[in-house]
């Protein structure tokens, strides 16, 4: 495994008025890793994935790709850096929420 993260989200926050949807989250993703993001409803998982995929702009924090700081104003910006995101819809409506798949660099 590489010593340098492929993607880093550093101290990411997202606020909606007085509601803090994402509160100082830092994540490092390394090449070849498979990572799961778990949390209760309303924990900010979807917001975090939207930020990583460029569909939402963070209130504060930094995203780095291969060590370089990046800013995603829209999904095409993230896509240009290798981000891919899809929403999985499962037939189990109450037990499961909708997991998101976000990959980097592959198809």
């Amino acid at each position: 495994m590489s010593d340098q993260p492929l993607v880093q989200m550093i101290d990411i926050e997202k606020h909606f008025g007085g509601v803090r949807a994402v509160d100082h989250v830092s994540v490092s993703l390394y090449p070849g890793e498979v990572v799961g993001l778990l949390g209760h409803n309303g924990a900010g998982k979807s917001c975090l994935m939207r930020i990583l995929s460029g569909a939402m702009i963070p209130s504060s924090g930094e995203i780095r790709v291969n060590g370089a700081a990046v800013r995603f104003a829209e999904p095409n910006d993230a896509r240009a850096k290798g981000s891919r995101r899809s929403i999985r819809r499962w037939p189990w409506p109450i037990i499961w929420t909708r997991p998101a798949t976000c990959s980097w660099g592959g198809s």
Side-chain angles (χ1 to χ4, degrees), residues 48-61:
L48 195 63
M49 290 299 96
R50 285 184 185 114
I51 290 167
L52 185 58
S53 67
M56 185 179 283
I57 297 172
S59 300
S60 65

Side-chain angles (χ1 to χ4, degrees), residues 85-91 96-102:
R85 182 173 184 253
S86 67
I87 300 295
R88 306 284 185 216
R89 297 184 190 272
W90 298 97
W96 300 95
T97 59
R98 297 177 345 188
T101 301
C102 190

Side-chain angles (χ1 to χ4, degrees), residues 19-97:
V19 176
R20 202 172 280 220
V22 177
D23 189 13
H24 299 282
V25 173
S26 295
V27 178
S28 294
L29 307 172
Y30 291 85
E33 271 190 329
V34 176
V35 178
L37 182 61
L38 303 173
H40 295 288
N41 288 340
K45 304 173 301 292
S46 294
C47 286
L48 195 63
M49 290 299 96
R50 285 184 185 114
I51 290 167
L52 185 58
S53 67
M56 185 179 283
I57 297 172
S59 300
S60 65
E62 181 178 45
I63 298 174
R64 294 181 158 281
V65 177
N66 291 318
V70 295
R71 282 224 161 307
F72 301 144
E74 62 172 329
N76 285 334
D77 295 343
R79 208 170 291 124
K81 292 290 185 183
S83 176
R84 304 289 183 271
R85 182 173 184 253
S86 67
I87 300 295
R88 306 284 185 216
R89 297 184 190 272
W90 298 97
W92 309 287
I94 296 172
I95 299 172
W96 300 95
T97 59

